[in-house]
Amino acid sequence: MNSQQIDFGGSNVRHNILSVVAPMLVAQILNLLYNIIDRIYIGKLPGEGTVALAGLGLCFPVITMVTAFANLFGQGGAPLCSIARGKRDTKGAQKIMNHAYFMLILTGIMITVLGILFHKPILYLFGASDTTYPYAAGYMVIYLLGTVFVMTALGLNPYINCQGFAKIGMKTVTLGAISNIILDPVFIFLLHLGVKGAALATIISQLFSALWVLRFLTGAQTELKLTFHEFHPDFTCICEITKLGTSSFVMSFTNGLVQVACNSMLQIFGGDIYISVMTVINSIREIAQTPVMSLAEGSSPVISYNYGAGQTDLMKKAIRFMTITCFGYTLSIWGMISAFPELFIRIFNHDALLIEKAVPSLHIYFFGFFMMAFQFTGQCVFKALNKAKQAVFFSILRKAIIVAPLTFILPHIAGLGVVGVFLAEPISSFIGGLACYITMRKTVLAKL
């Protein structure tokens, strides 16, 4: 075995998980910087930071939906690859990866064309005003031009991690993040391109990450080789990838839909300032959930591999360790955000009015954040064991069935207004998180 490659079948489960999680967490933190550095710079543009931040926030659903399609074929195929590797079926694992990349390219091109053609009505549907539209359009059109780069980097990196090359996967994100951190101030401030500069820096950085991924997966070091030589689409294989990836897709896509719903209702009940507030809160949520997502995603290949190898004891240990660690972390970060809300808000903006509106909104939105640990662990187990129906259902339950309707209903009840928009999230965390985790224990752990 390659010295950089992790043996998922080893008996020390904690070590195996942490060996994946450590570089993945570094990568996710860098990816977090990648995503939020634009907002930090844009939020501090002299004289226009708050409105520019609102414009950027209107693009979040688009970015989230691009990520959703990357997850559909990336996180959809990676567990299947791990299961195939556990069965020593290298040819089958390679076939899955090649078909996933074919679909990533195809959908990336379609999103680019349709998104650019219809960007104006889409942005107004998402809650844009005449004031925020120029900022949102400037970012969105340029970002969409790099959709194929984004989908290649995000969609193929799980196939590096599922082979045990976690450090290589970390370098994918490191390259893009450092490039973005360097290019952002150059394009935004030095070349005076504002939000357009932020988008340009992002897609150039994603291009670098995409080239790195392709170089590794077509090189000599990889176990699974990416190639289209004598490639013929196998729709059965595509359907299997899509079926399992639907969970991650729905989770990301419904996040985008909820963002649209929130922005629309906040525009009605609070105006542009509250769209800026939601942009800041979404950014803080990304900071808060990055480590717990890394823990879940780092546990997934270990669980999948041992499932394929028939090692149920190692699977149980991995699930138990993941659950305890995720709960401990989410409880701690909730306490920090509750105690020091202004500290987190000021990362993105120093406007006194925005801070005044954001502090109580942040307290409401993050109430009971620790319940998300159960959502992440339950979803992770369902995806890792190829339980596609359960994974999809609980993705839809929390966002589409609970959050979205509550976002439209609560603001009209007892004069809640914007408070109702922010209140929908903690309600869904309690109901959705518990339902997902309890079902996972009853239908998966109880039968192992």
Side-chain angles (χ1 to χ4, degrees):
M1 178 173 288
N2 189 302
S3 60
Q4 295 190 51
Q5 193 173 10
I6 301 162
D7 179 12
F8 293 144
S11 59
N12 192 337
V13 172
R14 291 186 180 187
H15 177 267
N16 294 340
I17 291 176
L18 292 175
S19 296
V20 180
V21 170
M24 188 177 286
L25 179 57
V26 173
Q28 290 282 20
I29 290 172
L30 289 170
N31 191 48
L32 176 65
L33 289 175
Y34 198 133
N35 291 330
I36 70 172
I37 199 74
D38 292 348
R39 303 164 215 174
I40 293 173
Y41 284 131
I42 292 300
K44 295 178 180 177
L45 282 171
E48 56 180 346
T50 301
V51 68
L53 198 59
L56 192 59
L58 292 166
C59 297
F60 281 3
V62 177
I63 297 170
T64 302
M65 289 173 189
V66 170
T67 303
F69 279 99
N71 290 342
L72 178 62
F73 304 110
Q75 295 185 21
L80 296 176
C81 262
S82 291
I83 292 171
R85 287 186 64 243
K87 295 177 178 178
R88 301 293 190 265
D89 182 11
T90 302
K91 186 176 179 181
Q94 186 167 300
K95 179 182 178 181
I96 291 165
M97 182 177 70
N98 289 334
H99 277 77
Y101 188 45
F102 170 74
M103 293 305 298
L104 286 165
I105 294 295
L106 186 63
T107 52
I109 293 170
M110 292 173 62
I111 291 169
T112 301
V113 174
L114 293 174
I116 291 175
L117 281 175
F118 300 105
H119 77 276
K120 186 170 184 177
I122 287 172
L123 285 173
Y124 274 99
L125 178 66
F126 286 1
S129 65
D130 291 340
T131 304
T132 56
Y133 169 75
Y135 295 96
Y139 189 92
M140 180 174 168
V141 171
I142 294 174
Y143 180 86
L144 285 171
L145 289 171
T147 299
V148 172
F149 308 149
V150 175
M151 294 190 70
T152 297
L154 292 180
L156 285 183
N157 210 42
Y159 294 92
I160 295 177
N161 292 326
C162 81
Q163 296 179 62
F165 295 105
K167 290 182 180 179
I168 301 296
M170 177 187 72
K171 291 176 183 178
T172 301
V173 184
T174 303
L175 177 61
I178 292 175
S179 300
N180 197 43
I181 291 168
I182 294 171
L183 293 175
D184 254 338
V186 173
F187 287 128
I188 294 171
F189 298 111
L190 190 61
L191 299 180
H192 305 289
L193 293 176
V195 292
K196 293 180 181 178
L200 193 57
T202 296
I203 65 168
I204 292 173
S205 302
Q206 289 284 19
L207 171 61
F208 292 156
S209 292
L211 291 174
W212 169 267
V213 169
L214 292 173
R215 181 177 177 273
F216 178 79
L217 290 176
T218 56
Q221 190 179 7
T222 185
E223 179 183 313
L224 306 177
K225 188 80 70 176
L226 184 67
T227 177
F228 284 142
H229 179 64
E230 297 183 350
F231 176 82
H232 301 288
D234 182 339
F235 292 102
T236 301
C237 182
I238 291 171
C239 285
E240 285 298 308
I241 294 169
T242 304
K243 184 169 67 173
L244 186 56
T246 300
S247 166
S248 296
F249 173 81
V250 169
M251 186 175 287
S252 296
F253 195 82
T254 51
N255 274 338
L257 293 179
V258 167
Q259 287 166 2
V260 172
C262 288
N263 286 341
S264 299
M265 296 305 288
L266 289 172
Q267 183 65 254
I268 294 170
F269 287 93
D272 290 339
I273 185 66
Y274 272 100
I275 293 180
S276 298
V277 168
M278 181 55 86
T279 303
V280 170
I281 288 177
N282 277 328
S283 302
I284 295 171
R285 185 191 66 191
E286 287 183 33
I287 294 173
Q289 72 182 23
T290 291
V292 73
M293 287 178 65
S294 297
L295 281 164
E297 290 175 16
S299 303
S300 180
V302 178
I303 296 169
S304 295
Y305 184 93
N306 285 294
Y307 176 68
Q311 299 288 340
T312 56
D313 287 343
L314 296 182
M315 286 171 53
K316 287 182 179 179
K317 287 181 181 179
I319 294 169
R320 189 181 306 115
F321 176 71
M322 173 181 61
T323 304
I324 294 170
T325 310
C326 286
F327 182 79
Y329 166 78
T330 50
L331 188 62
S332 301
I333 195 67
W334 176 48
M336 289 177 61
I337 291 172
S338 299
F340 309 105
E342 282 196 33
L343 180 66
F344 287 90
I345 294 165
R346 287 181 180 275
I347 294 172
F348 303 95
N349 196 276
H350 289 85
D351 182 81
L353 178 61
L354 185 141
I355 293 171
E356 178 189 339
K357 305 290 186 185
V359 169
S361 302
L362 189 67
H363 281 304
I364 296 167
Y365 188 89
F366 273 92
F367 181 75
F369 180 70
F370 60 88
M371 296 302 297
M372 286 301 297
F374 297 115
Q375 180 78 27
F376 281 118
T377 54
Q379 285 285 119
C380 171
V381 173
F382 287 135
K383 287 189 291 183
L385 303 187
N386 196 14
K387 307 287 184 181
K389 290 181 180 179
Q390 293 94 322
V392 171
F393 173 77
F394 286 107
S395 294
I396 294 173
L397 175 67
R398 200 177 85 79
K399 288 294 185 178
I401 298 177
I402 303 174
V403 178
L406 287 178
T407 300
F408 288 112
I409 294 168
L410 290 178
H412 298 281
I413 296 176
L416 285 174
V418 294
V419 171
V421 176
F422 296 112
L423 193 58
E425 182 69 18
I427 292 174
S428 73
S429 295
F430 275 90
I431 298 173
L434 278 177
C436 182
Y437 187 75
I438 290 171
T439 304
M440 183 273 289
R441 289 192 65 88
K442 295 291 186 182
T443 62
V444 176
L445 284 186
K447 296 182 179 180
L448 290 179

